[in-house]
Amino acid sequence: MADLDAVLSHVRARVLPDAEERERLRETAVELTERTRAAIDDLPVEADVVRVGSTARGTWVSGDRDIDLFVRFPADIDREQLEEYGLAVGHAVLPDGHEEYAEHPYVKGTYDGFDVDLVPCHDVDEASELISAVDRTPFHDAYLSARLDDDLAGDVVLAKAFLKGIGAYGSDLRTEGFSGYLTELLVAELGGFRPLVESARSWHPPMEFDPEGHAERTFEDPLVVVDPTDPTRNVAAVLSSANLARFQHYARDLIANPREGLFEPRTADPLDAGAVRDHLDRRETTPVAVVLDAPDVVDDQLWPQLRRSLDGTVRGLDERGFDALRSRAMVGDDRERAALYVEVETPTRPAVERHEGPPVAVRKHADRFYESYADDVDPDTYGPFIEGDRYVVEREREFTTVREYLESDAAGDIALGAQIEPAFADRDVLVGDAVATLADRFGRELREFYEPHP
C-alpha cells in the first residue's frame, strides 16, 4: 500500500487549504458574523448567530468558498416573524443577496469573494424538538466538531475530493450523491478515509450504520446512516443506488491502482453534431427526444419531475413495443430547454399486435375474452383463434411509429411531473439523425450519454 500512501499524501497537500486560505476565510467569517450581530441588534427580539458547515469545522476542500451563518431565534417565535426577521438580517448583511427557499426563505449572496448563506432557524434545546428541518443543522455541527480532530478533518477533505473526482458528491436532487454531512459521518464512523474506502469495496447493500445506536425506525435505502441527532432520519436518504455503486467501484479502483486522477473532477467537452451522428451510425439504434421548455423552478423541484416524466415516457414506449435501450433526462446549458432522451431498438412496429387471452380451460374468463372478439367485424382483427391452450387475437396496433406515438395525445397520458405537464403539451419531437441538432444546447449531456463511464 506504499503507492496508495504516497498518492494520499500528495492529494492531501493539494486539497487541504493552506494557512493563507484559512486565515482569509477566518477574517471574512469574523466580519460577516459581526455584521450579522449588528443587524440582530436592530430587531425587537433576541437572537444569536452561529457559524456552521464545513468551513466552520475545517473540512472544506481548498478552493471551496462557502460560509454558512445561521441566525437562531427563540423557539416560540411564529413562522411569519421568523421569516420576516431572518430576511431582514440577511438583506442587511448581504445587500446584493437574493432570496432562496428551503423549508422557509433565506438570503444567499457573496461577500469579499465568498458564497454566503444566511439562514434563520429556531433555537431549540434538543434536536428532537425541531420546528423546521434547518433547526437540526447546528446540532450536526456540534456533533461533528466534538468528534473530528485535525487528522480526521484532513481525511474528510480527502473523502470529499475523492467523491467530487468521481462525480458522486452533492445531495442536490440532480446529483443524488453524498452530502458533506454524510461524508463526515462516514469518515468519523470508519476512522478515516482509507478505512472508509477499504470497507466500502466490500459492502453488500443495504448497509446500515447507526453511530449512536438509537434508530427508531427501519429504512429501505441502499445505504443507511442514522442521524446521530435524529433517530428517525437516514442521512443517506437522497443517495442513489447508482452513486453508491459508483463509490464502491472507485474505492476498489483506488486501492487496486492508486492515482491522483481519481481526486480530480472530469470535465466533459460537449459533443458537436458530427460526433453525435458518428455515434448514431455506429450504434444503429434510433434516438428520440421530447424537447420542451424547462419550468422556471429550482433544480431540486425540476429534476425529480423530469425523471418522473422520463420514466413515464420509457414505460409508454416499452408498452407499445418500441423497446427503450437507454434513456436520460437532460437540461440545456442555458437552462431554458429540457429533453427526455431515449434510445429505442426499433422506430417502427407491424400494423398488428398479438393479444393473448386466458387459457380456454378457464371458462369464465375465456368465454368473456372470446365473446368480446367473436363478433368483431373489424377486417384488421384476426381471430380469435386457439394457439396452444389459449385464445389469441391479432389486432390493429394503435401506433406503428415512435414519432406517431410521441406526438399523440396518448403520450401525454403518462405520469408527468406537475410542472412538466404544461410544457409537455407544447413539445417538439425529434427522431433519428434530427437529434444531432441538440448538440448546441445539450452537448455535454450527449457526451455523457454516448460515452458513459462508471
Side-chain angles (χ1 to χ4, degrees):
M1 288 295 176
D3 288 345
L4 178 58
D5 289 339
V7 165
L8 297 184
S9 177
H10 290 154
V11 172
R12 186 184 290 266
R14 176 171 60 82
V15 300
L16 262 64
D18 60 21
E20 182 179 349
E21 185 176 355
R22 289 177 182 275
E23 179 58 21
R24 183 166 178 221
L25 185 139
R26 187 196 67 79
E27 290 175 352
T28 304
V30 168
E31 288 179 24
L32 283 165
T33 301
E34 291 173 352
R35 288 170 62 91
T36 304
R37 289 193 180 116
I40 288 171
D41 287 343
D42 293 333
L43 298 177
V45 295
E46 295 291 325
D48 69 355
V49 58
V50 59
R51 184 174 153 218
V52 299
S54 61
T55 55
R57 297 189 293 272
T59 56
W60 84 96
V61 177
S62 179
D64 288 354
R65 307 183 67 77
D66 300 320
I67 296 175
D68 300 318
L69 297 175
F70 274 50
V71 179
R72 296 187 295 192
F73 291 94
D76 60 357
I77 194 172
D78 67 43
R79 187 184 183 93
E80 288 186 2
Q81 287 182 313
L82 177 83
E83 293 182 5
E84 177 188 348
Y85 298 149
L87 292 175
V89 171
H91 287 303
V93 176
L94 303 167
D96 296 324
H98 63 277
E99 294 177 16
E100 292 200 1
Y101 196 91
E103 187 165 335
H104 47 68
Y106 66 98
V107 176
K108 188 180 188 71
T110 59
Y111 185 85
D112 196 23
F114 290 87
D115 296 323
V116 183
D117 285 358
L118 211 152
V119 182
C121 69
H122 299 90
D123 188 9
V124 295
D125 293 330
E126 302 286 343
S128 59
E129 300 171 358
L130 299 179
I131 299 170
S132 73
V134 296
D135 299 345
R136 65 165 58 95
T137 301
F139 292 97
H140 292 171
D141 192 76
Y143 182 87
L144 287 168
S145 295
R147 286 160 178 79
L148 295 175
D149 58 21
D150 289 345
D151 286 341
L152 279 178
D155 274 17
V156 166
V157 179
L158 274 179
K160 290 181 178 179
F162 181 70
L163 290 165
K164 289 183 177 186
I166 66 174
Y169 186 75
S171 60
D172 58 280
L173 294 183
R174 176 175 186 171
T175 307
E176 296 182 316
F178 290 76
S179 69
Y181 181 49
L182 172 59
T183 306
E184 298 190 26
L185 285 175
L186 287 170
V187 169
E189 178 73 5
L190 275 300
F193 172 68
R194 182 161 162 176
L196 171 59
V197 293
E198 289 176 342
S199 174
R201 60 181 174 162
S202 300
W203 288 351
H204 291 279
M207 289 291 300
E208 180 166 330
F209 298 95
D210 186 0
E212 294 300 299
H214 68 172
E216 291 184 1
R217 52 163 292 196
T218 57
F219 303 89
E220 303 299 326
D221 306 297
L223 177 65
V224 174
V225 179
V226 181
D227 192 334
T229 72
D230 183 349
T232 67
R233 176 174 180 260
N234 176 21
V235 179
V238 170
L239 179 67
S240 68
S241 56
N243 271 323
L244 177 57
R246 180 168 292 114
F247 176 53
Q248 288 192 271
H249 169 85
Y250 283 109
R252 294 168 186 164
D253 193 13
L254 175 66
I255 291 172
N257 182 22
R259 59 198 187 280
E260 294 185 41
L262 293 178
F263 294 83
E264 298 167 1
R266 281 183 285 244
T267 54
D269 294 328
L271 286 184
D272 60 24
V276 173
R277 291 190 186 95
D278 288 343
H279 282 292
L280 302 185
D281 291 342
R282 193 155 53 243
R283 294 172 68 80
E284 296 184 354
T285 55
T286 300
V288 296
V290 177
V291 187
L292 43 88
D293 289 337
D296 186 18
V297 294
V298 297
D299 277 359
D300 277 1
Q301 292 178 320
L302 174 62
W303 280 95
Q305 294 192 43
L306 279 176
R307 291 190 179 111
R308 173 181 170 85
S309 303
L310 179 65
D311 288 346
T313 300
V314 168
R315 190 162 54 252
L317 290 167
D318 284 341
E319 288 172 354
R320 287 160 179 83
F322 297 108
D323 297 337
L325 182 67
R326 192 143 53 90
S327 63
R328 184 183 182 93
M330 301 179 179
V331 175
D333 292 339
D334 57 9
R335 214 182 172 286
E336 292 182 359
R337 297 281 274 173
L340 308 176
Y341 195 89
V342 188
E343 200 175 44
V344 298
E345 295 186 11
T346 177
T348 61
R349 299 295 292 156
V352 295
E353 62 180 344
R354 177 186 177 88
H355 180 44
E356 291 188 352
V360 175
V362 184
R363 181 175 178 179
K364 180 178 179 181
H365 297 292
D367 285 352
R368 186 181 302 132
F369 180 87
Y370 180 83
E371 289 166 4
S372 67
Y373 287 101
D375 297 327
D376 193 340
V377 296
D378 186 345
D380 294 315
T381 297
Y382 297 81
F385 54 90
I386 294 174
E387 190 170 285
D389 67 343
R390 65 181 62 230
Y391 291 122
V392 176
V393 295
E394 293 166 349
R395 60 191 181 185
E396 183 180 12
R397 188 182 296 274
E398 185 179 10
F399 303 105
T400 60
T401 70
V402 70
R403 177 185 295 280
E404 186 184 6
Y405 166 61
L406 290 175
E407 290 181 343
S408 73
D409 291 341
D413 293 338
I414 62 176
L416 294 170
Q419 283 146 311
I420 299 296
E421 192 167 353
F424 194 86
D426 226 3
R427 64 195 177 278
D428 295 321
V429 176
L430 304 179
V431 179
D433 284 358
V435 302
T437 61
L438 297 175
D440 288 344
R441 194 186 297 264
F442 299 93
R444 286 184 175 80
E445 300 264 19
L446 287 167
R447 181 176 293 279
E448 291 178 6
F449 184 88
Y450 283 114
E451 299 175 11
H453 51 76

